[in-house]
Amino acid sequence: MPQLGRRLRSLRFTLGLAPTGFAASRETGDPALEHALAGPATLCGIPRRRVTVYRHPFVARKRPGSCPRCRAKAVDAPSGP
């Protein structure tokens, strides 16, 4: 199965597709979880005005401090050119 992953990455590179990136953010006043910010709200629905945005990207890998709903939606996000 590792070969399939390499083939898919190679195909995405050939087609010019890159994974969608999201900014990392935390809800202001409740910094327990890191969320993925996409435009006017996080992927789990928190409005942008209620979060503090950080200068690093949201990482969709399973980590103890990341929002599970944002993580699932980030993984399912379509690739773009």
Side-chain angles (χ1 to χ4, degrees), residues 7-54:
R7 287 182 186 164
L8 287 175
R9 282 192 298 275
S10 176
L11 177 63
R12 286 182 183 152
F13 178 79
T14 302
L15 295 175
L17 299 176
T20 304
F22 301 101
S25 62
R26 292 189 189 265
E27 191 168 7
T28 306
D30 183 23
L33 292 177
E34 188 169 87
H35 299 274
L37 184 66
T42 64
L43 295 181
C44 65
I46 302 169
R48 184 182 185 118
R49 69 186 183 304
R50 289 186 31 210
V51 298
T52 302
V53 183
Y54 293 93

